[in-house]
Amino acid sequence: MSAFGCHLPLLATSRLHGGCCSELISLQRCFLLTTGCNRVRAGQTIRPVMVAAQQAPATPQLRICRGQDLKAEELHSVLARPRIDFESILQTVEPIVQAVKHNGDTAVKQFTEKFDHVKLETVCAPIEDFPDPQLPAETVTAFQTAFDNIHAFHEAQLKNPLSVETMPGVNCSRVTRPIGAVGIYVPGGTAVLPSSALMLSVPAGIAGCKTIVLATPPRPDGTVTPEVLWCAKRAGVTHILTAGGAQAVAAMAWGTETCPKVHKILGPGNQYVTAAKMALQNSEAMISMDMPAGPSEVLVIADAAASAAHVAADLLSQAEHGPDSQVVLLALPGVDLDEVERQVSEQCAALPRMEVAAQALSHSSIISVSGRDEAIKLTNLYAPEHLIVNVEDAEDWLPELDNAGSVFLGRWTPESVGDYASGTNHVLPTYGFARMYSGVSLESFQKSMTVQTLSKEGLKRLGPTVAHMADLEGLTAHQRAVTLRLQALA
């Protein structure tokens, strides 16, 4: 019998917390353990992972049935993410976007006071107006190491112009240019993320963007987080927008009295930030965005030799991001699930963000799989933001892994290294968008132009083909633009 030969009903409720600066979409669902074992009796319940006495959501038990393979819709339910109701969120965001469009800095100040309870004196200012922050030497060293690695990896992505002579006298090329003005969003709220400042501003600087506006929510006293400011100054940011949420995105998209208008907005953020980016991309603001995104997530594939402590730590490293994060473990045969359970429970109970992680675990899952083929199939179906392959000979799995934002291979590659300092970018597609989107890279801050140059000989060779095709399509002016030149060469 397949390891997925059981019906897995899910129990779910959702509650949306309002406010455009700190959001939570919390879904109560089971932390499930499916074994697919022939010894599992019909109606048998599996003990869920319990997270100490302070666990935030109640954890319902999940009935596991033995039987035929999961149908497609059942498998979809098992791997479903916490739902984000973008329709209602867009309705909340749209008045903010329009208010900033018409009232500029005044609207940004009003919404910042309303949602963040901070009165701003200045909305946006050139970065040289901010004093250099004083940080501990250890912090500066860590940031500099991360900067160097991120810079090295993204600088290596610079490409030489492509030039091809498609036929004698016909030269086609592709050249790259920086996007002139970009906005980068660095979240605040429940966690300070200077790493995101580096991940976004370093490639923007390498690409040659002339205007780089960094938006980040203010601290309670109205100042910018010193760690974020240090990273922004080090990486070449030109302006700091001291605001978060939809109002910050709108300020960068429309431009205000103090904030330059940008052409593209990139960076992680809550669903209000994402909704604002989506709304403005389809507006007169004429901006583009990096990718749609949802809550953080990780999928871990582990074999029998994987350390249960490491597996649990990897799962919790994403669960602590937010209550709407999701983590999934695909356990190959031989994995000690009881020990993984114990490690998750003990490690979660010791986390400062225990309650946040516990809520994320309530809609996360452990799934036993029969082998490599099933693990790869489920991984590509789920398309995780982060994928950890904690198995022997992990590199051998890579050719079959198609859908993931960033992949971490082997026993000694925790997802945390990519979040901070390995050099790859941590701004990645979530919510299954890894099926069709890539993470942020140097190209995210660039645009390309194609160029063609024809000699007289080239036009003589290619012209008749083009004239004939234009005639077939009934576009006479297109045809004459060629034939008049051919006549001049006769």
Short mmCIF file of all heavy atoms in Angstrom, two decimals, residues 116-166:
data_model
loop_
_atom_site.label_atom_id
_atom_site.label_comp_id
_atom_site.label_asym_id
_atom_site.label_seq_id
_atom_site.Cartn_x
_atom_site.Cartn_y
_atom_site.Cartn_z
N ASP A 116 0.76 52.24 13.42
CA ASP A 116 1.99 52.01 14.18
C ASP A 116 2.07 52.86 15.44
O ASP A 116 3.01 52.69 16.23
CB ASP A 116 3.22 52.31 13.31
CG ASP A 116 3.38 51.31 12.18
OD1 ASP A 116 3.11 50.12 12.42
OD2 ASP A 116 3.77 51.69 11.07
N HIS A 117 1.12 53.78 15.60
CA HIS A 117 1.07 54.64 16.79
C HIS A 117 2.35 55.48 16.92
O HIS A 117 2.87 55.69 18.02
CB HIS A 117 0.83 53.80 18.04
CG HIS A 117 -0.28 52.83 17.91
ND1 HIS A 117 -1.60 53.22 17.74
CD2 HIS A 117 -0.29 51.46 17.87
CE1 HIS A 117 -2.37 52.14 17.62
NE2 HIS A 117 -1.60 51.08 17.69
N VAL A 118 2.84 55.93 15.78
CA VAL A 118 4.05 56.76 15.73
C VAL A 118 3.74 58.02 14.94
O VAL A 118 3.19 57.95 13.84
CB VAL A 118 5.23 56.01 15.06
CG1 VAL A 118 6.43 56.93 14.91
CG2 VAL A 118 5.59 54.78 15.87
N LYS A 119 4.12 59.18 15.50
CA LYS A 119 3.98 60.45 14.79
C LYS A 119 5.29 60.75 14.08
O LYS A 119 6.31 60.97 14.73
CB LYS A 119 3.62 61.57 15.75
CG LYS A 119 2.21 61.49 16.31
CD LYS A 119 1.88 62.72 17.14
CE LYS A 119 0.43 62.68 17.64
NZ LYS A 119 0.08 63.90 18.41
N LEU A 120 5.24 60.75 12.75
CA LEU A 120 6.44 61.01 11.97
C LEU A 120 6.64 62.51 11.76
O LEU A 120 5.69 63.24 11.46
CB LEU A 120 6.35 60.33 10.59
CG LEU A 120 6.34 58.80 10.55
CD1 LEU A 120 6.17 58.34 9.11
CD2 LEU A 120 7.61 58.24 11.16
N GLU A 121 7.87 62.95 11.89
CA GLU A 121 8.20 64.32 11.50
C GLU A 121 8.52 64.38 10.02
O GLU A 121 8.08 65.29 9.31
CB GLU A 121 9.39 64.82 12.33
CG GLU A 121 9.08 65.00 13.81
CD GLU A 121 10.24 65.60 14.57
OE1 GLU A 121 11.23 66.01 13.92
OE2 GLU A 121 10.18 65.66 15.81
N THR A 122 9.30 63.43 9.55
CA THR A 122 9.68 63.36 8.14
C THR A 122 9.36 61.98 7.61
O THR A 122 9.68 60.98 8.26
CB THR A 122 11.18 63.64 7.95
OG1 THR A 122 11.48 64.92 8.51
CG2 THR A 122 11.55 63.63 6.48
N VAL A 123 8.74 61.92 6.45
CA VAL A 123 8.36 60.63 5.87
C VAL A 123 9.55 59.97 5.19
O VAL A 123 9.86 58.80 5.42
CB VAL A 123 7.20 60.81 4.87
CG1 VAL A 123 6.95 59.52 4.08
CG2 VAL A 123 5.94 61.23 5.61
N CYS A 124 10.24 60.72 4.34
CA CYS A 124 11.34 60.17 3.56
C CYS A 124 12.45 61.21 3.47
O CYS A 124 12.19 62.41 3.39
CB CYS A 124 10.86 59.77 2.16
SG CYS A 124 12.09 58.94 1.13
N ALA A 125 13.70 60.73 3.50
CA ALA A 125 14.84 61.64 3.43
C ALA A 125 16.02 60.94 2.78
O ALA A 125 16.13 59.71 2.83
CB ALA A 125 15.22 62.13 4.83
N PRO A 126 16.93 61.71 2.16
CA PRO A 126 18.16 61.12 1.63
C PRO A 126 18.92 60.43 2.74
O PRO A 126 18.93 60.89 3.89
CB PRO A 126 18.92 62.32 1.07
CG PRO A 126 17.88 63.36 0.81
CD PRO A 126 16.84 63.16 1.88
N ILE A 127 19.60 59.35 2.42
CA ILE A 127 20.23 58.55 3.46
C ILE A 127 21.35 59.30 4.17
O ILE A 127 21.64 59.05 5.35
CB ILE A 127 20.75 57.21 2.88
CG1 ILE A 127 21.02 56.24 4.04
CG2 ILE A 127 21.96 57.42 1.99
CD1 ILE A 127 21.13 54.81 3.62
N GLU A 128 21.96 60.27 3.49
CA GLU A 128 23.03 61.02 4.14
C GLU A 128 22.50 61.91 5.28
O GLU A 128 23.28 62.39 6.11
CB GLU A 128 23.79 61.87 3.13
CG GLU A 128 22.95 62.79 2.29
CD GLU A 128 22.54 62.17 0.96
OE1 GLU A 128 22.53 60.91 0.87
OE2 GLU A 128 22.24 62.93 0.02
N ASP A 129 21.18 62.11 5.33
CA ASP A 129 20.60 62.88 6.43
C ASP A 129 20.55 62.09 7.73
O ASP A 129 20.29 62.66 8.80
CB ASP A 129 19.18 63.34 6.07
CG ASP A 129 19.17 64.42 4.99
OD1 ASP A 129 20.26 64.83 4.56
OD2 ASP A 129 18.07 64.83 4.58
N PHE A 130 20.78 60.79 7.64
CA PHE A 130 20.71 59.94 8.83
C PHE A 130 22.12 59.74 9.39
O PHE A 130 23.05 59.43 8.64
CB PHE A 130 20.10 58.58 8.49
CG PHE A 130 18.64 58.64 8.10
CD1 PHE A 130 18.28 58.97 6.80
CD2 PHE A 130 17.65 58.38 9.02
CE1 PHE A 130 16.95 59.02 6.42
CE2 PHE A 130 16.32 58.43 8.66
CZ PHE A 130 15.96 58.76 7.36
N PRO A 131 22.31 59.91 10.67
CA PRO A 131 23.64 59.70 11.27
C PRO A 131 24.05 58.24 11.18
O PRO A 131 23.21 57.33 11.18
CB PRO A 131 23.46 60.14 12.72
CG PRO A 131 22.00 59.97 12.99
CD PRO A 131 21.30 60.28 11.69
N ASP A 132 25.35 58.01 11.08
CA ASP A 132 25.85 56.64 11.04
C ASP A 132 25.54 55.93 12.35
O ASP A 132 25.88 56.43 13.43
CB ASP A 132 27.36 56.63 10.80
CG ASP A 132 27.73 57.13 9.41
OD1 ASP A 132 26.86 57.11 8.52
OD2 ASP A 132 28.89 57.54 9.21
N PRO A 133 24.89 54.76 12.28
CA PRO A 133 24.55 54.05 13.52
C PRO A 133 25.79 53.41 14.14
O PRO A 133 26.71 53.00 13.43
CB PRO A 133 23.56 52.99 13.04
CG PRO A 133 23.92 52.75 11.61
CD PRO A 133 24.40 54.07 11.08
N GLN A 134 25.81 53.34 15.43
CA GLN A 134 26.90 52.69 16.16
C GLN A 134 26.44 51.30 16.61
O GLN A 134 25.51 51.18 17.40
CB GLN A 134 27.29 53.54 17.37
CG GLN A 134 27.75 54.95 17.02
CD GLN A 134 28.94 54.95 16.07
OE1 GLN A 134 29.95 54.27 16.33
NE2 GLN A 134 28.84 55.70 14.99
N LEU A 135 27.10 50.28 16.08
CA LEU A 135 26.73 48.91 16.39
C LEU A 135 27.90 48.18 17.04
O LEU A 135 29.05 48.54 16.84
CB LEU A 135 26.33 48.16 15.10
CG LEU A 135 25.18 48.74 14.28
CD1 LEU A 135 24.94 47.86 13.05
CD2 LEU A 135 23.90 48.83 15.11
N PRO A 136 27.62 47.12 17.80
CA PRO A 136 28.70 46.32 18.37
C PRO A 136 29.60 45.75 17.28
O PRO A 136 29.13 45.44 16.17
CB PRO A 136 27.95 45.20 19.11
CG PRO A 136 26.59 45.75 19.36
CD PRO A 136 26.28 46.65 18.21
N ALA A 137 30.86 45.59 17.59
CA ALA A 137 31.84 45.10 16.60
C ALA A 137 31.44 43.74 16.05
O ALA A 137 31.61 43.46 14.85
CB ALA A 137 33.22 45.03 17.24
N GLU A 138 30.90 42.89 16.90
CA GLU A 138 30.51 41.55 16.45
C GLU A 138 29.40 41.63 15.41
O GLU A 138 29.38 40.87 14.43
CB GLU A 138 30.03 40.73 17.65
CG GLU A 138 29.67 39.30 17.30
CD GLU A 138 29.18 38.51 18.51
OE1 GLU A 138 28.92 39.13 19.56
OE2 GLU A 138 29.08 37.27 18.41
N THR A 139 28.47 42.57 15.60
CA THR A 139 27.38 42.75 14.65
C THR A 139 27.90 43.28 13.33
O THR A 139 27.50 42.81 12.25
CB THR A 139 26.32 43.71 15.23
OG1 THR A 139 25.82 43.18 16.44
CG2 THR A 139 25.18 43.91 14.25
N VAL A 140 28.79 44.25 13.39
CA VAL A 140 29.37 44.81 12.16
C VAL A 140 30.12 43.73 11.38
O VAL A 140 30.00 43.63 10.15
CB VAL A 140 30.32 45.98 12.49
CG1 VAL A 140 31.10 46.42 11.25
CG2 VAL A 140 29.52 47.15 13.06
N THR A 141 30.87 42.89 12.09
CA THR A 141 31.60 41.80 11.43
C THR A 141 30.65 40.83 10.74
O THR A 141 30.88 40.40 9.60
CB THR A 141 32.47 41.05 12.45
OG1 THR A 141 33.42 41.95 13.01
CG2 THR A 141 33.21 39.89 11.79
N ALA A 142 29.57 40.49 11.43
CA ALA A 142 28.58 39.57 10.85
C ALA A 142 27.94 40.18 9.62
O ALA A 142 27.81 39.52 8.57
CB ALA A 142 27.52 39.22 11.89
N PHE A 143 27.54 41.45 9.71
CA PHE A 143 26.93 42.12 8.56
C PHE A 143 27.90 42.22 7.39
O PHE A 143 27.52 42.06 6.23
CB PHE A 143 26.44 43.51 8.95
CG PHE A 143 25.17 43.52 9.78
CD1 PHE A 143 24.74 44.67 10.40
CD2 PHE A 143 24.41 42.38 9.92
CE1 PHE A 143 23.57 44.70 11.15
CE2 PHE A 143 23.24 42.37 10.67
CZ PHE A 143 22.83 43.54 11.29
N GLN A 144 29.16 42.50 7.68
CA GLN A 144 30.15 42.64 6.61
C GLN A 144 30.39 41.30 5.90
O GLN A 144 30.52 41.25 4.68
CB GLN A 144 31.47 43.17 7.15
CG GLN A 144 32.48 43.52 6.06
CD GLN A 144 31.97 44.57 5.09
OE1 GLN A 144 31.52 45.65 5.49
NE2 GLN A 144 32.01 44.27 3.79
N THR A 145 30.42 40.22 6.67
CA THR A 145 30.55 38.89 6.06
C THR A 145 29.37 38.59 5.16
O THR A 145 29.53 38.10 4.02
CB THR A 145 30.67 37.81 7.15
OG1 THR A 145 31.84 38.05 7.93
CG2 THR A 145 30.76 36.42 6.53
N ALA A 146 28.16 38.87 5.66
CA ALA A 146 26.96 38.64 4.85
C ALA A 146 27.00 39.51 3.60
O ALA A 146 26.70 39.03 2.49
CB ALA A 146 25.71 38.95 5.68
N PHE A 147 27.37 40.79 3.76
CA PHE A 147 27.47 41.69 2.61
C PHE A 147 28.43 41.13 1.57
O PHE A 147 28.11 41.09 0.36
CB PHE A 147 27.93 43.07 3.06
CG PHE A 147 28.20 44.02 1.93
CD1 PHE A 147 27.20 44.86 1.46
CD2 PHE A 147 29.45 44.08 1.30
CE1 PHE A 147 27.43 45.73 0.39
CE2 PHE A 147 29.68 44.95 0.25
CZ PHE A 147 28.67 45.77 -0.21
N ASP A 148 29.61 40.69 2.00
CA ASP A 148 30.62 40.20 1.06
C ASP A 148 30.11 38.99 0.28
O ASP A 148 30.30 38.89 -0.94
CB ASP A 148 31.90 39.83 1.81
CG ASP A 148 32.62 41.05 2.37
OD1 ASP A 148 32.35 42.17 1.90
OD2 ASP A 148 33.46 40.88 3.27
N ASN A 149 29.46 38.06 0.97
CA ASN A 149 28.98 36.85 0.30
C ASN A 149 27.82 37.15 -0.64
O ASN A 149 27.75 36.61 -1.75
CB ASN A 149 28.55 35.81 1.34
CG ASN A 149 29.73 35.22 2.08
OD1 ASN A 149 30.89 35.41 1.69
ND2 ASN A 149 29.46 34.49 3.15
N ILE A 150 26.90 38.00 -0.20
CA ILE A 150 25.77 38.37 -1.07
C ILE A 150 26.28 39.12 -2.29
O ILE A 150 25.84 38.89 -3.42
CB ILE A 150 24.74 39.22 -0.28
CG1 ILE A 150 24.12 38.39 0.85
CG2 ILE A 150 23.65 39.75 -1.19
CD1 ILE A 150 23.36 39.22 1.87
N HIS A 151 27.24 40.01 -2.07
CA HIS A 151 27.80 40.78 -3.18
C HIS A 151 28.51 39.85 -4.17
O HIS A 151 28.34 39.98 -5.40
CB HIS A 151 28.78 41.83 -2.65
CG HIS A 151 29.17 42.86 -3.66
ND1 HIS A 151 30.12 42.63 -4.64
CD2 HIS A 151 28.73 44.14 -3.86
CE1 HIS A 151 30.26 43.70 -5.38
NE2 HIS A 151 29.42 44.63 -4.93
N ALA A 152 29.28 38.90 -3.67
CA ALA A 152 30.02 37.99 -4.55
C ALA A 152 29.08 37.16 -5.41
O ALA A 152 29.29 37.00 -6.61
CB ALA A 152 30.92 37.08 -3.71
N PHE A 153 28.02 36.64 -4.79
CA PHE A 153 27.10 35.78 -5.54
C PHE A 153 26.32 36.57 -6.59
O PHE A 153 26.12 36.09 -7.71
CB PHE A 153 26.13 35.08 -4.58
CG PHE A 153 25.21 34.11 -5.26
CD1 PHE A 153 25.68 32.90 -5.74
CD2 PHE A 153 23.86 34.40 -5.42
CE1 PHE A 153 24.84 32.00 -6.37
CE2 PHE A 153 23.00 33.51 -6.04
CZ PHE A 153 23.49 32.30 -6.52
N HIS A 154 25.88 37.76 -6.23
CA HIS A 154 25.08 38.54 -7.18
C HIS A 154 25.94 39.22 -8.23
O HIS A 154 25.51 39.39 -9.38
CB HIS A 154 24.22 39.55 -6.41
CG HIS A 154 23.10 38.91 -5.66
ND1 HIS A 154 23.29 38.29 -4.44
CD2 HIS A 154 21.78 38.75 -5.94
CE1 HIS A 154 22.14 37.79 -4.01
NE2 HIS A 154 21.21 38.07 -4.90
N GLU A 155 27.15 39.60 -7.89
CA GLU A 155 28.04 40.19 -8.89
C GLU A 155 28.38 39.16 -9.97
O GLU A 155 28.54 39.51 -11.15
CB GLU A 155 29.32 40.70 -8.24
CG GLU A 155 30.22 41.48 -9.19
CD GLU A 155 31.44 42.04 -8.48
OE1 GLU A 155 32.08 41.30 -7.70
OE2 GLU A 155 31.75 43.23 -8.69
N ALA A 156 28.47 37.89 -9.57
CA ALA A 156 28.77 36.83 -10.53
C ALA A 156 27.63 36.64 -11.53
O ALA A 156 27.82 35.97 -12.57
CB ALA A 156 29.03 35.52 -9.79
N GLN A 157 26.46 37.21 -11.24
CA GLN A 157 25.33 37.08 -12.16
C GLN A 157 25.34 38.12 -13.28
O GLN A 157 24.48 38.09 -14.17
CB GLN A 157 24.02 37.20 -11.37
CG GLN A 157 23.84 36.10 -10.34
CD GLN A 157 22.67 36.33 -9.40
OE1 GLN A 157 21.65 36.92 -9.78
NE2 GLN A 157 22.80 35.90 -8.16
N LEU A 158 26.30 39.05 -13.25
CA LEU A 158 26.43 40.01 -14.35
C LEU A 158 26.72 39.26 -15.64
O LEU A 158 27.54 38.34 -15.68
CB LEU A 158 27.56 41.00 -14.06
CG LEU A 158 27.28 42.06 -12.99
CD1 LEU A 158 28.57 42.77 -12.58
CD2 LEU A 158 26.25 43.07 -13.49
N LYS A 159 26.06 39.65 -16.70
CA LYS A 159 26.19 38.96 -17.98
C LYS A 159 26.77 39.89 -19.03
O LYS A 159 26.48 41.10 -19.06
CB LYS A 159 24.84 38.44 -18.45
CG LYS A 159 24.21 37.40 -17.54
CD LYS A 159 22.85 36.97 -18.06
CE LYS A 159 22.21 35.93 -17.14
NZ LYS A 159 20.86 35.54 -17.63
N ASN A 160 27.57 39.31 -19.91
CA ASN A 160 28.05 40.06 -21.06
C ASN A 160 26.92 40.18 -22.08
O ASN A 160 26.04 39.31 -22.16
CB ASN A 160 29.24 39.36 -21.70
CG ASN A 160 30.46 39.35 -20.81
OD1 ASN A 160 30.73 40.33 -20.12
ND2 ASN A 160 31.20 38.25 -20.81
N PRO A 161 26.91 41.26 -22.88
CA PRO A 161 25.86 41.39 -23.90
C PRO A 161 25.86 40.19 -24.84
O PRO A 161 26.91 39.65 -25.20
CB PRO A 161 26.25 42.67 -24.64
CG PRO A 161 27.08 43.44 -23.66
CD PRO A 161 27.82 42.41 -22.87
N LEU A 162 24.66 39.77 -25.22
CA LEU A 162 24.50 38.66 -26.15
C LEU A 162 24.44 39.21 -27.57
O LEU A 162 23.68 40.14 -27.85
CB LEU A 162 23.22 37.90 -25.82
CG LEU A 162 22.77 36.83 -26.82
CD1 LEU A 162 23.72 35.64 -26.78
CD2 LEU A 162 21.34 36.38 -26.50
N SER A 163 25.23 38.66 -28.48
CA SER A 163 25.24 39.13 -29.86
C SER A 163 25.30 37.94 -30.80
O SER A 163 26.15 37.06 -30.63
CB SER A 163 26.42 40.06 -30.12
OG SER A 163 26.39 40.57 -31.43
N VAL A 164 24.35 37.90 -31.74
CA VAL A 164 24.26 36.77 -32.67
C VAL A 164 24.05 37.30 -34.09
O VAL A 164 23.19 38.17 -34.31
CB VAL A 164 23.09 35.83 -32.30
CG1 VAL A 164 22.98 34.68 -33.30
CG2 VAL A 164 23.25 35.30 -30.89
N GLU A 165 24.82 36.80 -35.04
CA GLU A 165 24.55 37.08 -36.45
C GLU A 165 23.64 35.97 -36.94
O GLU A 165 24.06 34.85 -37.21
CB GLU A 165 25.84 37.12 -37.26
CG GLU A 165 25.61 37.57 -38.71
CD GLU A 165 26.88 37.67 -39.51
OE1 GLU A 165 27.66 36.69 -39.52
OE2 GLU A 165 27.10 38.72 -40.14
N THR A 166 22.35 36.28 -37.06
CA THR A 166 21.37 35.26 -37.40
C THR A 166 21.47 34.82 -38.86
O THR A 166 21.11 33.69 -39.19
CB THR A 166 19.95 35.75 -37.09
OG1 THR A 166 19.70 36.96 -37.81
CG2 THR A 166 19.78 36.00 -35.59
#
